[in-house]
Amino acid sequence: MHNIIRPSRRAPRILLYSHDTFGLGHLRRTRAIAERLVGAFAGASALILTGSPVAGRFTFSRGVDHIRLPGVVKTPEGDYVSQSLDMSIDQTTALRASVIEAATEDFNPDLVIVDKEATGFRGEMVDTLEQLKAAGRARLVLGIRDILDAPDLLGPEWERKGALEAAERFYDQIWVYGDESVYDPFQGLDISADLRARVRFTGYLRREVPAETNAHHRAQPYILITPGGGGDGEALVEWTLKAYETDATLEPNALIVYGPFLSGEKRSDFDRRVAALQPKVSAVGFDSRIEVLMRDAQGIVAMGGYNTFCEILSFDRPAVIAPRKKPRMEQYIRASVAEQLGLVRMLDPQRDGDGPQAMAKAIRSLASQPLPSRRARPGLLGGLDKIVALVEPMLCVTVDR
C-alpha cells in the first residue's frame, strides 16, 4: 500500500470490515452503523467488506455499498474450508486478504471500523492494519458487541488469535456496542491501562423500520419466532412447533422466520409440520427487512443474539429468549443479565424445563409480560448517536443535522 495523502476537502470515506463466516449478526450490525454515518455526514461514502454469503440479499442506503469476500464455512469438526472455491483455507484466506488490501488502497478511507475480530478472520486484516498504521492517516476503530463470551473462555481465545496484542498495537479506539452498567465484555482479559483508556461504551444500537419498507399487514395478531440466521436455530423452531402441536388452544398465532442458513432438509420437515398447523402457525424463509415484523408482533421468541436483542428493545416488544450455550456463552449471559434487569424473560431448559409445555407457558405469558421500556434506563439505545459523536472529531467535519 502506498503512503497516501488525504485529498483536501474530500467527503469522508469510511471502510467497515465484517468477517461474517456464519450468521447475519456482524453484517446487520455493520450495515446499521454504515447507514447511520452516511446519513450524518454530508457526502460520506461507506464501503463494507464482508464474507456474508447473503450480503446481496440486503438493500443498502445511498452512499453505502459492499464487496463480498470469498466465502468460508465451518465444518462439523470445527475446521474452516472454502465455501465454493477449489482452494485450501490458507489460499482462500490469502485471497481474501489481497482483496481487503486492494480495496483499502483504492478506497483510501479516512476511518476504518473492524467488527469484533481484531486481526480479521485468521489474521487476514493484519497486513492492511500495519500499512494503515504506518501511513498514519486513517483512524482505526475496533468495534465489539456488549458480550463476547464467558470470561474463562475469552482470555485463551484472544491469546490464541493475537487479538489483545492487535488491539493494543493498531486501534485508536475500542467501541463497545453496549452499556458499561449492564456488562463489561473485557472480563477475563488482562488489558493495559492505556488500552482501557481507549475504550468507549456507546450504548446499544437502536433499530428502525426503513422508510422504503412496504407494510406487512397481517390479518391476525401474531408472535414472531426468530432464530436469527437460522444456522443454529433448529432447536428453537423445533421447540416452538412442538408447543403448538401439543396444545391446540395455544394463542396467539405464530410466524416463524427460519433464517437463510437453516438446512434444506430441516426446512422441508418444518414446512410439512407448519402446513399441518396452519393457519395458527406460518413460516417464511428470510426477510431482510425483518424490522417491520418485529414492530407489529405482539411478542417475540428468539435466541438472543445481539441484533435481535437491540430490535426487541427498539420496538419495545415483550420477549422470551431461549439462548444457546455453544459454541459461545454470549447469548446465555446476555439473556441472564437482561432478565435480571427486567428487560426480557429467559427460557432455560435446566431451570424451566425443556418440554413443549414450558414453551407454551412462556408464549402465553407474553401477553402479560411488562414492556422493556418500563425497565430500560434512559440512553440505553443511544449507540448510533454516540458513534456519530465519536466519529465527528475523527473526520474533522461537522454532523449534517
Side-chain angles (χ1 to χ4, degrees):
M1 182 179 294
H2 306 303
N3 195 1
I4 303 170
I5 305 299
R6 177 178 178 178
S8 62
R9 297 187 179 181
R10 189 191 72 178
R13 293 183 184 177
I14 303 160
L15 183 74
L16 303 99
Y17 165 84
S18 175
H19 72 285
D20 290 294
T21 58
F22 184 74
L24 296 174
H26 303 287
L27 174 59
R28 295 188 66 216
R29 179 167 57 244
T30 299
R31 182 184 66 156
I33 294 169
E35 293 188 341
R36 181 67 178 91
L37 290 175
V38 166
F41 299 103
S45 295
L47 179 63
I48 300 172
L49 306 180
T50 175
S52 173
V54 296
R57 297 172 69 176
F58 286 88
T59 59
F60 297 87
S61 64
R62 181 173 177 79
V64 180
D65 209 338
H66 72 284
I67 293 175
R68 163 80 198 287
L69 302 173
V72 297
V73 294
K74 199 171 189 177
T75 68
E77 294 75 29
D79 300 319
Y80 284 98
V81 297
S82 175
Q83 180 185 24
S84 303
L85 303 177
D86 184 18
M87 301 174 70
S88 70
I89 188 60
D90 289 338
Q91 292 171 322
T92 303
T93 305
L95 176 59
R96 286 167 57 108
S98 296
V99 173
I100 291 168
E101 184 175 341
T104 303
E105 179 173 357
D106 289 342
F107 188 61
N108 187 13
D110 306 299
L111 171 65
V112 178
I113 304 172
V114 173
D115 188 77
K116 183 183 175 289
E117 296 290 343
T119 63
F121 171 69
R122 300 181 84 243
E124 66 187 3
M125 280 291 295
V126 171
D127 287 350
T128 294
L129 289 169
E130 287 179 340
Q131 292 160 2
L132 287 166
K133 198 69 176 177
R137 193 185 64 76
R139 302 297 298 273
L140 307 180
V141 171
L142 174 65
I144 63 173
R145 59 181 180 244
D146 58 340
I147 299 163
L148 294 170
D149 205 347
D152 61 321
L153 301 175
L154 184 60
E157 179 188 354
W158 274 44
E159 178 69 25
R160 183 178 73 255
K161 293 180 175 180
L164 189 57
E165 178 185 355
E168 296 268 9
R169 178 183 172 194
F170 294 123
Y171 293 100
D172 299 299
Q173 289 185 3
I174 315 296
W175 295 347
V176 180
Y177 306 130
D179 191 296
E180 191 170 14
S181 67
V182 174
Y183 192 82
D184 178 7
F186 298 105
Q187 297 177 57
L189 296 178
D190 184 20
I191 70 174
S192 68
D194 176 64
L195 183 60
R196 175 69 73 169
R198 288 180 253 159
V199 173
R200 305 289 186 271
F201 283 82
T202 67
Y204 290 90
L205 308 182
R206 182 182 296 278
R207 305 304 167 85
E208 298 177 347
V209 174
E212 72 277 11
T213 301
N214 295 325
H216 290 241
H217 295 299
R218 303 188 71 85
Q220 299 295 326
Y222 66 93
I223 60 167
L224 182 68
I225 316 298
T226 171
D232 55 359
E234 294 177 7
L236 180 66
V237 177
E238 177 70 30
W239 202 358
T240 302
L241 288 176
K242 281 186 176 179
Y244 280 91
E245 289 167 340
T246 304
D247 188 345
T249 67
L250 183 56
E251 293 182 345
N253 293 353
L255 170 62
I256 303 172
V257 180
Y258 293 135
F261 300 117
L262 180 70
S263 72
E265 182 179 352
K266 286 302 300 184
R267 176 166 178 176
S268 295
D269 174 59
F270 288 154
D271 280 343
R272 176 184 55 79
R273 294 163 65 186
V274 167
L277 290 166
Q278 287 181 341
K280 181 156 286 188
V281 178
S282 57
V284 296
F286 174 62
D287 193 324
S288 64
R289 296 297 191 179
I290 198 172
E291 296 91 346
V292 70
L293 298 178
M294 291 196 164
R295 180 198 64 189
D296 295 343
Q298 289 194 328
I300 295 170
V301 178
M303 293 174 60
Y306 178 84
N307 292 288
T308 301
F309 183 61
C310 288
E311 286 155 347
I312 288 167
L313 298 180
S314 298
F315 300 117
D316 202 20
R317 297 293 83 200
V320 171
I321 303 297
R324 69 172 186 229
K325 295 182 180 179
K326 295 180 179 180
R328 300 182 182 279
M329 290 292 291
E330 166 222 343
Q331 291 186 1
Y332 184 81
I333 296 170
R334 182 179 297 112
S336 299
V337 172
E339 183 177 63
Q340 292 170 12
L341 294 173
L343 300 173
V344 303
R345 175 185 173 181
M346 180 172 72
L347 191 55
D348 182 355
Q350 291 182 319
R351 182 190 69 182
D352 305 309
D354 59 359
Q357 296 83 4
M359 176 61 79
K361 180 180 178 181
I363 290 173
R364 281 197 172 92
S365 297
L366 281 168
S368 59
Q369 188 171 311
L371 298 178
S373 59
R374 295 183 59 181
R375 298 297 300 272
R377 74 161 190 80
L380 189 65
L381 283 166
L384 292 174
D385 290 339
K386 180 64 178 292
I387 287 171
V388 170
L390 290 169
V391 168
E392 187 172 6
M394 292 182 176
L395 298 179
C396 301
V397 294
T398 303
V399 174
D400 184 6
R401 303 184 190 281

